[in-house]
Amino acid sequence: MLNKTAQVTALNSIGVAGKNRGAGRDVVYVYEMPVRLWHWLNAAAIVVLATTGYFIGTAVPTTPGEASDKFLFGYIRFAHFSAGYVLTVGFLLRIYWAMMGNPHTRQIFYVPIWRRCFWNELRQTIRWYAFLAVTSEKCAGHNPAAQLMMLSMFTLTTAFMIVTGFALYAEGSGRESWQFRLFGWVFAILPNSQDVHTSHHLGLWVIATFVLIHIYTAIREDIMSRRSISAIISGERDLRD
């Protein structure tokens, strides 16, 4: 078993790209600047998409006056489409940085299910979240449960929302648009446009559920474990006891 100093040194060796930011401290440099910037832009885009998407799916209250004088729904759709482009570009850049950044940048894109230690750590993490364990594993990046949730509820769902979102957008832009050429195949799988709308709307609730779990566990970890949520602001994770 490694002592505390050796553990921090080992974590620092994989948590820093280019230089040892945590030398001599119980701190590991985990999230690089591009990851932190993407995180907050992505969060803002999701808030806009969720809010406007809800109104698009359920409609807004009828306003008095001539319809030609009102453009409320047009503004809602414009905000939704703009945030969708921000989400998409950010997602593509995030994939690029996963190949260029430190090892922690790749955790949301895969789960090492082939490793026996992953399942052992996942079992321990579940016990920790269920208040059946006194201590948790000291993980610089995402713990196994967080990694599994990030992949299944965020990464894959976000990719699904991008594909179905652009497919629905292609209905308005026409068959000659690049949106239809890239995403029109969705209607070969789901010929009924309403099915695509319904699936896209359900994806909203998957991401909304993920956001609630993500915020709860982040605050919980900061209070109960040795990991600080300020890492997504400073990039450095405090591995306090």
Side-chain angles (χ1 to χ4, degrees), residues 9-52:
T9 302
L11 289 170
N12 274 316
S13 67
I14 65 171
V16 181
K19 57 181 178 179
N20 190 350
R21 291 281 297 271
R25 305 163 57 198
D26 293 346
V27 168
V28 179
Y29 185 56
V30 179
Y31 301 121
E32 299 163 306
M33 176 59 74
V35 175
R36 304 199 303 273
L37 180 61
W38 165 81
H39 177 274
W40 294 112
L41 287 176
N42 187 73
I46 287 177
V47 170
V48 174
L49 284 165
T51 304
T52 56

Side-chain angles (χ1 to χ4, degrees), residues 120-121 124-125 135-139 143-144 221 226-227:
N120 293 333
E121 293 172 359
Q124 175 64 19
T125 304
T135 60
S136 64
E137 295 288 337
K138 182 178 287 189
C139 301
N143 62 44
E221 286 296 288
R226 296 159 289 193
R227 304 192 307 154

Side-chain angles (χ1 to χ4, degrees), residues 158-168 183 185-186 200:
T158 298
F160 174 81
M161 295 296 279
I162 290 172
V163 170
T164 54
F166 274 106
L168 293 171
F183 302 99
W185 55 267
V186 172
H200 191 72

Side-chain angles (χ1 to χ4, degrees), residues 140-154:
H142 295 299
N143 62 44
Q147 200 170 351
L148 186 62
M149 292 293 288
M150 288 289 290
L151 175 65
S152 60
M153 293 189 71
F154 173 75

Side-chain angles (χ1 to χ4, degrees), residues 39 44 77 98 123 135 139 193 210 230:
H39 177 274
R77 284 166 55 87
R123 189 180 305 110
T135 60
C139 301
S193 176
F210 165 78
S230 61

Side-chain angles (χ1 to χ4, degrees), residues 150-199:
M150 288 289 290
L151 175 65
S152 60
M153 293 189 71
F154 173 75
T155 304
L156 295 179
T157 305
T158 298
F160 174 81
M161 295 296 279
I162 290 172
V163 170
T164 54
F166 274 106
L168 293 171
Y169 188 89
E171 287 188 305
S173 59
R175 290 180 172 271
E176 300 302 319
S177 65
W178 67 266
Q179 291 92 346
F180 193 89
R181 287 196 295 270
L182 290 180
F183 302 99
W185 55 267
V186 172
F187 296 107
I189 300 174
L190 297 172
N192 188 340
S193 176
Q194 184 58 48
D195 292 338
V196 183
H197 276 273
T198 302
S199 300

Side-chain angles (χ1 to χ4, degrees), residues 113-127:
I113 58 175
W114 57 88
R115 297 178 182 173
R116 180 179 299 178
C117 62
F118 170 82
W119 295 105
N120 293 333
E121 293 172 359
L122 177 62
R123 189 180 305 110
Q124 175 64 19
T125 304
I126 293 174
R127 285 176 50 82

